[in-house]
Amino acid sequence: MKATDVLVQCLENEGVEYIFGIVGKETLDLVESISRSTQIQYVPVRHEQGAAFMACVYGKLSKKVGVCTATLGPGAGNLLTGLATATLDGCPVVALTGQTGLNNQHKHSHQFIEMTDVMAPATKWAAQIKEADSISEMVRKAFKTANEEKPGSVFLELPENLAFESVPPGVVPITEEQPVLPAGKAVQSAISLLNESEKPFVIIGDKVIRQDASQDVLLFLSKLQAPVTHSFMAKGVIPKNVPYNYFTFGFSENDLVLSGIDEADLLIIIGFDPVERPPKEWNRKKIPILHIDSQTPEPDEYYPTAAEVIGHIKQTLQNLSTRSIPSKGWIPSGNLKQKIEHSFQIKSGYDDNSHLPLTTENILHAIEMLSPEDTIVVSDVGAHKISIARTYQPKQPENLIISNGLASMGISIPGSIGAKLARPHAPVISITGDGGAMMTISELETVKRLGISLIFIVLNDGVLKLEQQMMNKKHGKSVGVSFGNPDFVLLAESFGIRGFRPKALGEFEELFQVAISSLEPILFDIPLPNS
């Protein structure tokens, strides 16, 4: 068989359904081999960065490895931001690219750079296939590495001269890995800490969702009754109306929950990734920590572990819940929960919304109220991400995608495509600022070509709002943050996508109710003040 035919056979063995990419001279054989697969759909995109973002969100939501491809040099280089996002956000992704033939890599060649050296810091593993006979082993290793905790991206490149070599068919079988169970002694140490503590405070991270432990953490919390907060990426784990829910933490300013954390005598950290927020910024008093995770923590003076329970989080919580967990129902002082609800505008407080202004928070309340339970929101990065993290309360775990590791602008539009292909029956909403939208808005053509239904909400203020706010605070003025925009409605319509520009919240709500049940993509251009 041709080498790329064997590679596709290996991809089919891994359960791959979609490959996002742009074809180039060095990947002609690969894409031709993909075209003959009855299992895999090749999805041509408009920019390689979009391909990596699609694979990232698809991998996160599908529980499979997302796959993207590009040619050598500039094509491979354009994948870098999306692959780094996957690594820091814990999304399993494998990138396959072409490369200059082995016979030309010893000298300066057209479009040739050592891309594995470029990709190594941004991925879990970056390698070149040097022998066609090693394809099956390297593909299996790539998918295994991408999926292992912590999930992330893997980069493989295939030199052009190997692509059409003849190699024997065959794949490396996938062996099911059993979850690592926590040691009994560690579990008993955790119980002892809980018994000794008077004011424990729980912090929930994204790994709880990733390891399917959301229901298990709720059972644990129902017994413990201690106050709990969660990271941006763990939104949806704790239902909105749970009395001990102190909502999201991890903001640079107005992080009200920190006063409650400061009162605690024990922090119970479950599946939290410090890439979202370093311990120095939330454990200011160096409170002892009960660490519940699948990985040991990095040494950090602001993360003083009193006990570590290492193992698959779901099994750990199930084990803990079979023990006698003491109830620790204390309440942080100063009406903290009410202050957070008010400051974060978690409750709308309005009966008649028809004449309310179009603000980010009012739009989020409308989406929360009018969307079905399985709705997925994909947030871009900017000031609106902070509003979403504070105000919007998803109805289920993993129904809000916020990139908070690399936190790259431009993820929302292509990421929503990956989300829709991963969850085709769920409504998917992309919320982006105009800055992030213009980075990847060419993927609207991909949406139209695929014939999928998505809602795009562009919050349009002609400024990088978050940077404007930070510069004003630091320097008393802002520079380099303003820009012009196209007419987003006309731009959407030029792609064959309906666009609306509502003038008031009531009009938005009426149009949104039509859009949420529509079988076609729709874009909303929401004008906002720029200061």
Side-chain angles (χ1 to χ4, degrees):
M1 293 179 70
K2 185 172 70 169
T4 53
D5 288 341
V6 172
L7 198 158
V8 170
Q9 188 180 60
C10 294
L11 297 176
E12 291 174 333
N13 181 57
E14 300 290 344
V16 174
E17 298 176 304
Y18 298 99
I19 297 178
F20 308 96
I22 297 180
V23 68
K25 173 178 173 290
E26 288 72 19
T27 57
L28 296 178
D29 284 280
L30 174 60
V31 175
E32 190 276 333
S33 293
I34 294 170
S35 73
R36 289 185 278 107
S37 171
T38 59
Q39 174 182 314
I40 302 172
Q41 178 182 347
Y42 179 72
V43 180
V45 304
R46 304 314 301 259
H47 194 283
E48 293 90 352
Q49 180 174 293
F53 281 147
M54 291 176 204
C56 178
V57 178
Y58 174 86
K60 189 174 188 68
L61 291 177
S62 69
K63 307 307 179 186
K64 297 182 178 182
V65 176
V67 181
C68 54
T69 186
T71 191
L72 82 174
N78 284 340
L79 295 174
L80 180 62
T81 300
L83 297 185
T85 294
T87 297
L88 290 186
D89 283 358
C91 306
V93 171
V94 167
L96 303 167
T97 73
Q99 183 54 286
T100 299
L102 292 169
N103 57 321
N104 283 322
Q105 291 185 16
H106 64 285
K107 56 187 177 182
H108 289 295
S109 299
H110 179 62
Q111 293 189 314
F112 171 65
I113 57 173
E114 295 282 1
M115 193 55 68
T116 53
D117 292 343
V118 174
M119 292 293 185
T123 61
K124 295 181 70 176
W125 182 47
Q128 181 180 103
I129 298 172
K130 298 185 183 298
E131 297 285 345
D133 287 345
S134 67
I135 285 175
S136 59
E137 288 184 350
M138 292 187 75
V139 170
R140 177 79 280 268
K141 179 180 177 179
F143 277 76
K144 184 176 186 291
T145 302
N147 252 329
E148 285 175 340
E149 195 64 44
K150 173 184 175 183
S153 64
V154 168
F155 175 80
L156 283 185
E157 61 180 15
L158 179 66
E160 184 181 17
N161 63 305
L162 298 185
F164 47 84
E165 279 195 6
S166 180
V167 293
V171 299
V172 175
I174 300 172
T175 55
E176 186 175 351
E177 296 184 19
Q178 297 300 316
V180 177
L181 301 179
K185 185 177 180 181
V187 172
Q188 188 54 52
S189 294
I191 295 295
S192 297
L193 268 180
L194 293 175
N195 282 322
E196 295 166 6
S197 170
E198 294 182 359
K199 292 184 175 182
F201 206 114
V202 184
I203 296 177
I204 302 295
D206 181 50
K207 290 183 189 178
V208 167
I209 298 176
R210 195 158 67 229
Q211 297 191 11
D212 192 29
S214 297
Q215 291 301 314
D216 304 285
V217 84
L218 289 179
L219 177 59
F220 173 76
L221 291 171
S222 70
K223 294 184 175 184
L224 188 66
Q225 293 289 308
V228 58
T229 184
H230 52 267
S231 71
F232 286 23
M233 294 168 65
K235 290 202 70 160
V237 171
I238 312 300
K240 178 178 180 178
N241 296 322
V242 168
Y244 40 82
N245 182 3
Y246 283 74
F247 305 102
T248 321
F249 92 107
F251 306 99
S252 57
E253 295 183 8
N254 201 25
D255 213 343
L256 297 176
V257 76
L258 293 185
S259 67
I261 291 175
D262 285 346
E263 290 185 58
D265 60 8
L266 176 69
L267 300 183
I268 305 169
I269 313 297
I270 307 177
F272 175 74
D273 193 330
V275 302
E276 288 204 75
R277 199 71 176 165
K280 184 177 181 179
E281 298 182 11
W282 47 266
N283 192 11
R284 302 173 294 193
K285 294 188 174 183
K286 301 181 183 179
I287 299 163
I289 286 172
L290 168 55
H291 177 82
I292 299 175
D293 204 296
S294 55
Q295 297 173 295
T296 57
E298 291 189 81
D300 189 318
E301 65 173 303
Y302 289 90
Y303 201 91
T305 53
E308 298 178 15
V309 187
I310 306 302
H312 195 279
I313 294 172
K314 185 180 184 70
Q315 274 70 32
T316 296
L317 291 172
Q318 288 177 347
N319 194 328
L320 282 170
S321 295
T322 62
R323 312 293 180 100
S324 178
I325 297 176
S327 177
K328 302 286 183 175
W330 70 283
I331 298 175
S333 62
N335 295 318
L336 180 61
K337 183 178 175 71
Q338 290 75 17
K339 288 180 180 177
I340 293 172
E341 288 176 331
H342 176 74
S343 177
F344 291 3
Q345 300 182 48
I346 290 172
K347 298 178 180 178
S348 66
Y350 297 102
D351 295 324
D352 180 11
N353 294 337
S354 58
H355 301 296
L356 289 178
L358 282 168
T359 66
T360 301
E361 287 74 21
N362 285 342
I363 289 165
L364 294 174
H365 285 306
I367 292 171
E368 187 179 329
M369 178 179 64
L370 299 173
S371 297
E373 195 166 290
D374 60 344
T375 299
I376 296 169
V377 170
V378 183
S379 171
D380 215 286
V381 174
H384 63 279
K385 182 184 93 167
I386 303 300
S387 295
I388 292 169
R390 288 174 174 165
T391 302
Y392 183 71
Q393 304 299 314
K395 301 177 180 72
Q396 294 178 356
E398 212 169 44
N399 279 15
L400 174 60
I401 303 298
I402 296 181
S403 174
N404 205 38
L406 191 66
S408 173
M409 290 176 66
I411 190 173
S412 180
I413 291 176
S416 66
I417 297 173
K420 188 66 177 180
L421 294 179
R423 306 269 183 91
H425 301 297
V428 176
I429 303 168
S430 161
I431 303 179
T432 179
D434 44 3
M438 287 300 291
M439 292 181 177
T440 49
I441 203 162
S442 59
E443 301 302 346
L444 290 185
E445 189 279 325
T446 306
V447 172
K448 185 64 177 178
R449 176 168 22 94
L450 289 173
I452 54 179
S453 58
L454 289 167
I455 297 175
F456 300 98
I457 296 176
V458 180
L459 302 171
N460 183 358
D461 56 14
V463 69
L464 299 175
K465 177 72 76 174
L466 193 58
E467 286 69 22
Q468 181 189 56
Q469 293 168 348
M470 291 188 293
M471 288 190 79
N472 284 337
K473 181 176 181 179
K474 187 172 185 179
H475 299 292
K477 63 179 181 178
S478 60
V479 294
V481 297
S482 300
F483 42 76
N485 281 318
D487 185 315
F488 285 105
V489 171
L490 292 179
L491 184 58
E493 290 174 350
S494 74
F495 285 112
I497 292 173
R498 282 199 293 167
F500 298 106
R501 188 177 295 110
K503 297 291 191 287
L505 187 64
E507 183 184 1
F508 170 77
E509 289 181 345
E510 291 178 7
L511 292 169
F512 182 81
Q513 290 183 76
V514 174
I516 199 70
S517 58
S518 175
L519 298 179
E520 61 178 334
I522 291 174
L523 181 142
F524 289 93
D525 178 10
I526 308 294
L528 297 176
N530 61 10
S531 60

